[in-house]
């Protein structure tokens, strides 16, 4: 059974600082997604990573994938308050394209 | 930009009642999904649907749950006899192809009293 774990669960950081969220998964998968969720809102797709060594960047966020280590990272550069949200990684879980979500990381960027 | 829509945004019901949650997927998408998120917890897969039949369902999706695509645009989730533990945010998602990104609707918050 595919399991997905994220850490940390909660991250409080100051504006301007850098930090990384980690996503580990238990079995082989050929794609991984990062989603953002604002409080009470839906899930917004940020990145899809399709192959080993894939790196995607959008603004202050950069995601990478190491399929051999079964690890993805979401790196935040020079955080700003607008990045405050919960970030989920989700791993493609089989032939029907179901997504198995991680536990989520609640990011709070303090001024 | 096309988006997934869901109605209602919030549904309050009494335990034992039936509820139907409605979704309109993106118009040219072929794959449809329901997920749920209990408050403060992670998002959990419920069911996937393609070509008018269930492709896969989770252990959560027991006999009290059903899905239907009654016409060319709507995709519904029915819970026959709601329980307190069914209280959650229910998200509909759709994708154009099996390997495409899933786009999520705004969710329906179901509260069972």
């Amino acid at each position: 059974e595919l399991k997905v774990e994220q850490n940390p669960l909660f991250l409080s950081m100051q504006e301007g600082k850098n930090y990384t969220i980690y996503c580990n998964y238990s079995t082989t998968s050929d794609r991984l997604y990062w989603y953002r969720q604002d409080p009470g809102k839906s899930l917004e797709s940020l990145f899809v990573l399709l192959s080993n060594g894939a790196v995607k960047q959008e603004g202050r966020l950069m995601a990478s994938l190491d399929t051999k280590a079964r690890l993805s990272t979401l790196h935040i550069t020079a955080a700003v308050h607008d990045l405050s949200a919960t970030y989920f990684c989700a791993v493609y879980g089989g032939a029907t394209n179901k997504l198995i979500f991680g536990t989520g990381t609640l990011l709070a960027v303090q001024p | 930009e096309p988006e997934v829509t869901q109605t209602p945004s919030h549904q309050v019901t009494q335990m034992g009642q039936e509820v139907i949650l409605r979704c309109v997927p993106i118009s040219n998408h072929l794959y449809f999904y329901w997920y749920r998120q209990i408050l403060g917890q992670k998002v959990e897969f419920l069911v996937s649907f393609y070509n008018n039949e269930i492709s896969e369902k989770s252990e959560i999706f027991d006999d009290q749950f059903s899905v239907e695509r009654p016409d060319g645009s709507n995709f519904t989730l029915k819970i026959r006899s709601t329980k307190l533990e069914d209280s959650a945010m229910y998200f509909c998602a759709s994708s154009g192809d099996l390997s495409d990104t899933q786009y999520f609707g705004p969710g329906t918050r179901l509260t069972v009293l």
Side-chain angles (χ1 to χ4, degrees), chain A residues 17-109:
Chain A
K17 299 291 187 182
N18 304 333
Y19 211 81
T20 301
I21 299 171
Y22 298 88
C23 173
N24 291 90
Y25 53 100
S26 60
T27 61
T28 302
S29 177
D30 62 0
R31 68 195 67 232
L32 185 142
Y33 300 84
W34 284 96
Y35 285 88
R36 169 182 170 145
Q37 184 181 40
D38 291 296
K41 303 293 186 182
S42 187
L43 296 144
E44 175 191 356
S45 175
L46 295 174
F47 302 109
V48 54
L49 301 167
L50 301 175
S51 60
N52 188 42
V55 177
K56 294 274 185 78
Q57 183 162 6
E58 179 75 31
R60 300 173 188 275
L61 301 177
M62 183 175 71
S64 65
L65 178 63
D66 181 342
T67 57
K68 293 178 182 176
R70 297 177 190 157
L71 170 69
S72 180
T73 60
L74 181 66
H75 187 73
I76 303 146
T77 302
V80 293
H81 181 68
D82 286 352
L83 290 179
S84 296
T86 299
Y87 292 85
F88 290 95
C89 63
V91 178
Y92 171 60
T96 59
N97 203 25
K98 70 179 181 184
L99 294 177
I100 307 299
F101 281 81
T103 47
T105 297
L106 175 58
L107 173 67
V109 181

Side-chain angles (χ1 to χ4, degrees), chain B residues 11-30:
Chain B
Q11 173 94 44
V12 181
T13 190
Q14 295 291 325
M15 190 169 56
Q17 294 296 305
E18 175 183 287
V19 294
I20 297 176
L21 311 183
R22 292 182 167 79
C23 168
V24 179
I26 294 173
S27 63
N28 61 346
H29 282 186
L30 301 175

Side-chain angles (χ1 to χ4, degrees), chain B:
Chain B
E1 185 176 332
E3 58 183 20
V4 178
T5 60
Q6 289 184 244
T7 54
S9 57
H10 192 188
Q11 173 94 44
V12 181
T13 190
Q14 295 291 325
M15 190 169 56
Q17 294 296 305
E18 175 183 287
V19 294
I20 297 176
L21 311 183
R22 292 182 167 79
C23 168
V24 179
I26 294 173
S27 63
N28 61 346
H29 282 186
L30 301 175
Y31 296 82
F32 314 116
Y33 312 85
W34 284 100
Y35 293 83
R36 79 172 186 188
Q37 184 181 32
I38 295 171
L39 187 63
Q41 298 187 22
K42 66 179 180 180
V43 179
E44 301 174 288
F45 168 78
L46 291 178
V47 65
S48 58
F49 190 86
Y50 169 71
N51 199 25
N52 282 320
E53 60 183 30
I54 291 173
S55 305
E56 186 172 357
K57 58 185 181 180
S58 71
E59 291 178 354
I60 303 168
F61 195 91
D62 61 22
D63 290 344
Q64 70 164 343
F65 289 89
S66 62
V67 290
E68 193 178 33
R69 188 154 163 82
D71 53 43
S73 59
N74 289 284
F75 179 50
T76 62
L77 174 69
K78 181 192 289 186
I79 310 174
R80 263 179 274 281
S81 178
T82 51
K83 304 172 187 170
L84 294 176
E85 53 265 38
D86 293 328
S87 294
M89 181 75 94
Y90 288 80
F91 292 107
C92 173
S94 70
S95 64
D97 199 351
L98 191 60
S99 57
D100 283 352
T101 297
Q102 293 179 29
Y103 294 90
F104 284 76
T108 293
R109 180 165 298 285
L110 177 65
T111 302
V112 182
L113 302 176

